[in-house]
Amino acid sequence: MTHPLLIVALLFAVSAIQAPPATSPPSPTPLPSQAPPIEGVRNYTKVDATIGCAGATEVKALPGIATLGYKAVLNLREETEAGARIDESRAAAAAAGLKYIHLPFKSAAPDVKVADEFLKVVAEPANQPLFIHCGSGNRAATLWLIKRMVIDKWTEERSLAEAKAIGLSSEALQKFALDYVASRKS
């Protein structure tokens, strides 16, 4: 005669074997991380295979940026910023074989037209891989936040997490970005 506990144990074992494996929820896209430093570049983050974001980028860094495979440089600094050196950067980029795009973005008075133009520049395949920089990474992250939400349709939470990892620290610029996105939904 078979013991009832043995039958229960066997049934449990058989059901466990036949049960489909538990599926784990898809893992979120990992946040970008600080990439190995580039000499003459502050706060460099490789966002993905087509985008790098950074803060202040010295003229001497442009040949190294080209060596990393970037095809274009998008500079968000204003000409009046200390150390911006726009004309020298443009010449060094050309000498390194990089397309140079200057799109000044004022932190104190962000302009919707600059955000519109930024979206066009980053969407252009001829500009990829694209190296985007400003003075600290704050403006680059602000505009990248807009791109993620408007073009890539990322959630606000996911987009903000990535932007903060890249360098977004200004509440005013964050508000500008979110207001811009909201205005595009209406």
Side-chain angles (χ1 to χ4, degrees), residues 2 8-9 13 17 24 27 29 31 38 43 66 74 92 96-97 124-125 132-133 162 164-165 167-168 174 180:
T2 310
V8 171
I17 293 171
S24 58
S27 59
T29 303
L31 292 175
I38 302 171
N43 298 336
L74 172 55
E124 175 58 46
I132 305 163
H133 78 94
E162 181 183 57
K164 288 179 179 182
L168 178 61
Q174 178 177 317
Y180 178 94

PDB file of all heavy atoms in Angstrom, residues 2 8-9 13 17 24 27 29 31 38 43 66 74 92 96-97 124-125 132-133 162 164-165 167-168 174 180:
ATOM      1  N   THR A   2       0.558   2.239  -0.804  1.00  0.00           N
ATOM      2  CA  THR A   2       1.354   3.449  -0.942  1.00  0.00           C
ATOM      3  C   THR A   2       0.944   4.447   0.119  1.00  0.00           C
ATOM      4  O   THR A   2      -0.238   4.649   0.377  1.00  0.00           O
ATOM      5  CB  THR A   2       1.134   4.071  -2.326  1.00  0.00           C
ATOM      6  OG1 THR A   2       1.306   3.059  -3.299  1.00  0.00           O
ATOM      7  CG2 THR A   2       2.080   5.203  -2.561  1.00  0.00           C
ATOM      8  N   VAL A   8       1.470  12.647  -2.430  1.00  0.00           N
ATOM      9  CA  VAL A   8       1.447  14.110  -2.476  1.00  0.00           C
ATOM     10  C   VAL A   8       2.804  14.640  -2.908  1.00  0.00           C
ATOM     11  O   VAL A   8       2.904  15.539  -3.743  1.00  0.00           O
ATOM     12  CB  VAL A   8       1.016  14.685  -1.111  1.00  0.00           C
ATOM     13  CG1 VAL A   8       1.206  16.187  -1.069  1.00  0.00           C
ATOM     14  CG2 VAL A   8      -0.423  14.308  -0.806  1.00  0.00           C
ATOM     15  N   ALA A   9       3.875  14.077  -2.369  1.00  0.00           N
ATOM     16  CA  ALA A   9       5.224  14.524  -2.720  1.00  0.00           C
ATOM     17  C   ALA A   9       5.505  14.272  -4.194  1.00  0.00           C
ATOM     18  O   ALA A   9       6.095  15.120  -4.882  1.00  0.00           O
ATOM     19  CB  ALA A   9       6.257  13.810  -1.848  1.00  0.00           C
ATOM     20  N   ALA A  13       6.211  17.084  -7.076  1.00  0.00           N
ATOM     21  CA  ALA A  13       7.442  17.052  -7.884  1.00  0.00           C
ATOM     22  C   ALA A  13       7.114  17.068  -9.365  1.00  0.00           C
ATOM     23  O   ALA A  13       7.745  17.782 -10.155  1.00  0.00           O
ATOM     24  CB  ALA A  13       8.259  15.809  -7.530  1.00  0.00           C
ATOM     25  N   ILE A  17       7.995  20.086 -12.181  1.00  0.00           N
ATOM     26  CA  ILE A  17       8.763  19.835 -13.400  1.00  0.00           C
ATOM     27  C   ILE A  17       8.008  20.331 -14.622  1.00  0.00           C
ATOM     28  O   ILE A  17       8.581  20.895 -15.545  1.00  0.00           O
ATOM     29  CB  ILE A  17       9.074  18.324 -13.546  1.00  0.00           C
ATOM     30  CG1 ILE A  17      10.035  17.888 -12.450  1.00  0.00           C
ATOM     31  CG2 ILE A  17       9.626  17.998 -14.926  1.00  0.00           C
ATOM     32  CD1 ILE A  17      10.227  16.385 -12.364  1.00  0.00           C
ATOM     33  N   SER A  24      10.948  36.581 -15.924  1.00  0.00           N
ATOM     34  CA  SER A  24      11.270  37.819 -15.221  1.00  0.00           C
ATOM     35  C   SER A  24      10.900  38.981 -16.127  1.00  0.00           C
ATOM     36  O   SER A  24      10.940  38.857 -17.352  1.00  0.00           O
ATOM     37  CB  SER A  24      12.759  37.865 -14.863  1.00  0.00           C
ATOM     38  OG  SER A  24      13.526  37.756 -16.023  1.00  0.00           O
ATOM     39  N   SER A  27      14.405  43.651 -18.419  1.00  0.00           N
ATOM     40  CA  SER A  27      15.244  44.591 -17.683  1.00  0.00           C
ATOM     41  C   SER A  27      15.256  45.931 -18.409  1.00  0.00           C
ATOM     42  O   SER A  27      15.252  45.979 -19.635  1.00  0.00           O
ATOM     43  CB  SER A  27      16.671  44.051 -17.534  1.00  0.00           C
ATOM     44  OG  SER A  27      17.218  43.828 -18.795  1.00  0.00           O
ATOM     45  N   THR A  29      16.586  49.469 -19.905  1.00  0.00           N
ATOM     46  CA  THR A  29      17.816  49.835 -20.578  1.00  0.00           C
ATOM     47  C   THR A  29      18.778  50.395 -19.539  1.00  0.00           C
ATOM     48  O   THR A  29      18.400  51.257 -18.751  1.00  0.00           O
ATOM     49  CB  THR A  29      17.536  50.905 -21.649  1.00  0.00           C
ATOM     50  OG1 THR A  29      16.563  50.398 -22.539  1.00  0.00           O
ATOM     51  CG2 THR A  29      18.797  51.266 -22.401  1.00  0.00           C
ATOM     52  N   LEU A  31      21.459  52.589 -17.639  1.00  0.00           N
ATOM     53  CA  LEU A  31      21.828  53.996 -17.749  1.00  0.00           C
ATOM     54  C   LEU A  31      23.226  54.102 -18.333  1.00  0.00           C
ATOM     55  O   LEU A  31      24.053  53.216 -18.132  1.00  0.00           O
ATOM     56  CB  LEU A  31      21.798  54.659 -16.376  1.00  0.00           C
ATOM     57  CG  LEU A  31      20.427  54.800 -15.738  1.00  0.00           C
ATOM     58  CD1 LEU A  31      20.562  55.356 -14.328  1.00  0.00           C
ATOM     59  CD2 LEU A  31      19.524  55.692 -16.562  1.00  0.00           C
ATOM     60  N   ILE A  38      38.556  60.970 -22.009  1.00  0.00           N
ATOM     61  CA  ILE A  38      39.235  61.458 -23.211  1.00  0.00           C
ATOM     62  C   ILE A  38      40.012  62.682 -22.748  1.00  0.00           C
ATOM     63  O   ILE A  38      39.430  63.582 -22.142  1.00  0.00           O
ATOM     64  CB  ILE A  38      38.230  61.874 -24.309  1.00  0.00           C
ATOM     65  CG1 ILE A  38      37.322  60.711 -24.689  1.00  0.00           C
ATOM     66  CG2 ILE A  38      38.967  62.421 -25.522  1.00  0.00           C
ATOM     67  CD1 ILE A  38      36.172  61.119 -25.602  1.00  0.00           C
ATOM     68  N   ASN A  43      33.568  65.310 -18.125  1.00  0.00           N
ATOM     69  CA  ASN A  43      32.275  64.616 -17.951  1.00  0.00           C
ATOM     70  C   ASN A  43      31.811  63.855 -19.192  1.00  0.00           C
ATOM     71  O   ASN A  43      30.642  63.926 -19.564  1.00  0.00           O
ATOM     72  CB  ASN A  43      31.176  65.605 -17.532  1.00  0.00           C
ATOM     73  CG  ASN A  43      31.459  66.275 -16.219  1.00  0.00           C
ATOM     74  OD1 ASN A  43      32.190  65.753 -15.393  1.00  0.00           O
ATOM     75  ND2 ASN A  43      30.887  67.443 -16.016  1.00  0.00           N
ATOM     76  N   ALA A  66      37.692  62.128 -32.969  1.00  0.00           N
ATOM     77  CA  ALA A  66      37.608  61.530 -34.305  1.00  0.00           C
ATOM     78  C   ALA A  66      38.129  60.096 -34.288  1.00  0.00           C
ATOM     79  O   ALA A  66      37.536  59.205 -34.910  1.00  0.00           O
ATOM     80  CB  ALA A  66      38.394  62.377 -35.312  1.00  0.00           C
ATOM     81  N   LEU A  74      28.774  68.416 -31.989  1.00  0.00           N
ATOM     82  CA  LEU A  74      27.750  69.439 -31.782  1.00  0.00           C
ATOM     83  C   LEU A  74      28.117  70.203 -30.516  1.00  0.00           C
ATOM     84  O   LEU A  74      28.078  69.655 -29.418  1.00  0.00           O
ATOM     85  CB  LEU A  74      26.366  68.807 -31.641  1.00  0.00           C
ATOM     86  CG  LEU A  74      25.215  69.730 -31.236  1.00  0.00           C
ATOM     87  CD1 LEU A  74      25.079  70.917 -32.176  1.00  0.00           C
ATOM     88  CD2 LEU A  74      23.923  68.937 -31.159  1.00  0.00           C
ATOM     89  N   ALA A  92      39.955  72.841 -35.774  1.00  0.00           N
ATOM     90  CA  ALA A  92      40.529  71.566 -35.323  1.00  0.00           C
ATOM     91  C   ALA A  92      39.637  70.394 -35.716  1.00  0.00           C
ATOM     92  O   ALA A  92      40.130  69.318 -36.077  1.00  0.00           O
ATOM     93  CB  ALA A  92      40.744  71.593 -33.810  1.00  0.00           C
ATOM     94  N   ALA A  96      40.566  67.273 -38.242  1.00  0.00           N
ATOM     95  CA  ALA A  96      40.444  65.886 -37.781  1.00  0.00           C
ATOM     96  C   ALA A  96      39.416  65.102 -38.595  1.00  0.00           C
ATOM     97  O   ALA A  96      39.185  63.925 -38.337  1.00  0.00           O
ATOM     98  CB  ALA A  96      40.052  65.867 -36.306  1.00  0.00           C
ATOM     99  N   GLY A  97      38.787  65.768 -39.581  1.00  0.00           N
ATOM    100  CA  GLY A  97      37.795  65.093 -40.409  1.00  0.00           C
ATOM    101  C   GLY A  97      36.406  65.035 -39.790  1.00  0.00           C
ATOM    102  O   GLY A  97      35.581  64.217 -40.199  1.00  0.00           O
ATOM    103  N   GLU A 124      19.731  63.321 -37.923  1.00  0.00           N
ATOM    104  CA  GLU A 124      20.385  63.240 -39.231  1.00  0.00           C
ATOM    105  C   GLU A 124      21.454  62.138 -39.225  1.00  0.00           C
ATOM    106  O   GLU A 124      22.465  62.246 -38.534  1.00  0.00           O
ATOM    107  CB  GLU A 124      21.020  64.586 -39.577  1.00  0.00           C
ATOM    108  CG  GLU A 124      21.821  64.599 -40.855  1.00  0.00           C
ATOM    109  CD  GLU A 124      21.007  64.190 -42.068  1.00  0.00           C
ATOM    110  OE1 GLU A 124      19.872  64.703 -42.217  1.00  0.00           O
ATOM    111  OE2 GLU A 124      21.499  63.356 -42.846  1.00  0.00           O
ATOM    112  N   PRO A 125      21.246  61.065 -39.998  1.00  0.00           N
ATOM    113  CA  PRO A 125      22.222  59.962 -40.010  1.00  0.00           C
ATOM    114  C   PRO A 125      23.645  60.400 -40.368  1.00  0.00           C
ATOM    115  O   PRO A 125      24.612  59.810 -39.872  1.00  0.00           O
ATOM    116  CB  PRO A 125      21.661  59.004 -41.063  1.00  0.00           C
ATOM    117  CG  PRO A 125      20.201  59.303 -41.111  1.00  0.00           C
ATOM    118  CD  PRO A 125      20.089  60.779 -40.830  1.00  0.00           C
ATOM    119  N   ILE A 132      28.241  65.324 -28.530  1.00  0.00           N
ATOM    120  CA  ILE A 132      27.543  66.546 -28.116  1.00  0.00           C
ATOM    121  C   ILE A 132      28.218  67.078 -26.855  1.00  0.00           C
ATOM    122  O   ILE A 132      28.448  66.316 -25.915  1.00  0.00           O
ATOM    123  CB  ILE A 132      26.059  66.235 -27.792  1.00  0.00           C
ATOM    124  CG1 ILE A 132      25.385  65.545 -28.969  1.00  0.00           C
ATOM    125  CG2 ILE A 132      25.317  67.503 -27.381  1.00  0.00           C
ATOM    126  CD1 ILE A 132      24.074  64.854 -28.604  1.00  0.00           C
ATOM    127  N   HIS A 133      28.489  68.384 -26.830  1.00  0.00           N
ATOM    128  CA  HIS A 133      29.086  68.925 -25.607  1.00  0.00           C
ATOM    129  C   HIS A 133      28.650  70.353 -25.346  1.00  0.00           C
ATOM    130  O   HIS A 133      28.193  71.071 -26.236  1.00  0.00           O
ATOM    131  CB  HIS A 133      30.617  68.807 -25.629  1.00  0.00           C
ATOM    132  CG  HIS A 133      31.305  69.824 -26.469  1.00  0.00           C
ATOM    133  ND1 HIS A 133      31.788  71.006 -25.954  1.00  0.00           N
ATOM    134  CD2 HIS A 133      31.602  69.843 -27.789  1.00  0.00           C
ATOM    135  CE1 HIS A 133      32.355  71.704 -26.932  1.00  0.00           C
ATOM    136  NE2 HIS A 133      32.253  71.023 -28.051  1.00  0.00           N
ATOM    137  N   GLU A 162      18.248  58.970 -17.188  1.00  0.00           N
ATOM    138  CA  GLU A 162      19.387  58.998 -18.101  1.00  0.00           C
ATOM    139  C   GLU A 162      19.992  60.395 -18.156  1.00  0.00           C
ATOM    140  O   GLU A 162      21.219  60.552 -18.097  1.00  0.00           O
ATOM    141  CB  GLU A 162      18.960  58.561 -19.498  1.00  0.00           C
ATOM    142  CG  GLU A 162      20.135  58.553 -20.471  1.00  0.00           C
ATOM    143  CD  GLU A 162      19.734  58.185 -21.879  1.00  0.00           C
ATOM    144  OE1 GLU A 162      18.856  58.869 -22.450  1.00  0.00           O
ATOM    145  OE2 GLU A 162      20.306  57.214 -22.404  1.00  0.00           O
ATOM    146  N   LYS A 164      20.002  62.755 -15.956  1.00  0.00           N
ATOM    147  CA  LYS A 164      20.736  63.058 -14.727  1.00  0.00           C
ATOM    148  C   LYS A 164      22.065  62.302 -14.681  1.00  0.00           C
ATOM    149  O   LYS A 164      23.061  62.832 -14.194  1.00  0.00           O
ATOM    150  CB  LYS A 164      19.867  62.772 -13.510  1.00  0.00           C
ATOM    151  CG  LYS A 164      18.760  63.809 -13.382  1.00  0.00           C
ATOM    152  CD  LYS A 164      17.846  63.563 -12.199  1.00  0.00           C
ATOM    153  CE  LYS A 164      16.793  64.669 -12.156  1.00  0.00           C
ATOM    154  NZ  LYS A 164      15.892  64.542 -11.026  1.00  0.00           N
ATOM    155  N   ALA A 165      22.088  61.099 -15.218  1.00  0.00           N
ATOM    156  CA  ALA A 165      23.345  60.346 -15.286  1.00  0.00           C
ATOM    157  C   ALA A 165      24.333  61.029 -16.234  1.00  0.00           C
ATOM    158  O   ALA A 165      25.544  60.992 -16.017  1.00  0.00           O
ATOM    159  CB  ALA A 165      23.078  58.908 -15.752  1.00  0.00           C
ATOM    160  N   GLY A 167      24.368  64.392 -16.852  1.00  0.00           N
ATOM    161  CA  GLY A 167      24.826  65.663 -16.292  1.00  0.00           C
ATOM    162  C   GLY A 167      23.753  66.691 -16.012  1.00  0.00           C
ATOM    163  O   GLY A 167      24.064  67.809 -15.621  1.00  0.00           O
ATOM    164  N   LEU A 168      22.486  66.355 -16.206  1.00  0.00           N
ATOM    165  CA  LEU A 168      21.419  67.315 -15.916  1.00  0.00           C
ATOM    166  C   LEU A 168      21.373  67.580 -14.415  1.00  0.00           C
ATOM    167  O   LEU A 168      21.173  66.670 -13.622  1.00  0.00           O
ATOM    168  CB  LEU A 168      20.057  66.786 -16.388  1.00  0.00           C
ATOM    169  CG  LEU A 168      18.856  67.682 -16.093  1.00  0.00           C
ATOM    170  CD1 LEU A 168      18.977  69.035 -16.776  1.00  0.00           C
ATOM    171  CD2 LEU A 168      17.561  66.992 -16.497  1.00  0.00           C
ATOM    172  N   GLN A 174      15.624  71.452 -16.507  1.00  0.00           N
ATOM    173  CA  GLN A 174      14.733  70.297 -16.476  1.00  0.00           C
ATOM    174  C   GLN A 174      13.296  70.744 -16.759  1.00  0.00           C
ATOM    175  O   GLN A 174      12.592  70.128 -17.553  1.00  0.00           O
ATOM    176  CB  GLN A 174      14.812  69.587 -15.130  1.00  0.00           C
ATOM    177  CG  GLN A 174      13.871  68.401 -15.025  1.00  0.00           C
ATOM    178  CD  GLN A 174      14.005  67.657 -13.707  1.00  0.00           C
ATOM    179  OE1 GLN A 174      15.109  67.423 -13.229  1.00  0.00           O
ATOM    180  NE2 GLN A 174      12.879  67.294 -13.123  1.00  0.00           N
ATOM    181  N   TYR A 180       8.816  71.826 -22.858  1.00  0.00           N
ATOM    182  CA  TYR A 180       8.968  71.664 -24.303  1.00  0.00           C
ATOM    183  C   TYR A 180       8.248  70.389 -24.750  1.00  0.00           C
ATOM    184  O   TYR A 180       7.483  70.396 -25.725  1.00  0.00           O
ATOM    185  CB  TYR A 180      10.447  71.597 -24.679  1.00  0.00           C
ATOM    186  CG  TYR A 180      10.700  71.388 -26.157  1.00  0.00           C
ATOM    187  CD1 TYR A 180      10.914  72.466 -26.995  1.00  0.00           C
ATOM    188  CD2 TYR A 180      10.727  70.101 -26.712  1.00  0.00           C
ATOM    189  CE1 TYR A 180      11.141  72.273 -28.359  1.00  0.00           C
ATOM    190  CE2 TYR A 180      10.946  69.912 -28.065  1.00  0.00           C
ATOM    191  CZ  TYR A 180      11.160  71.004 -28.878  1.00  0.00           C
ATOM    192  OH  TYR A 180      11.369  70.805 -30.230  1.00  0.00           O
TER     193      TYR A 180
END
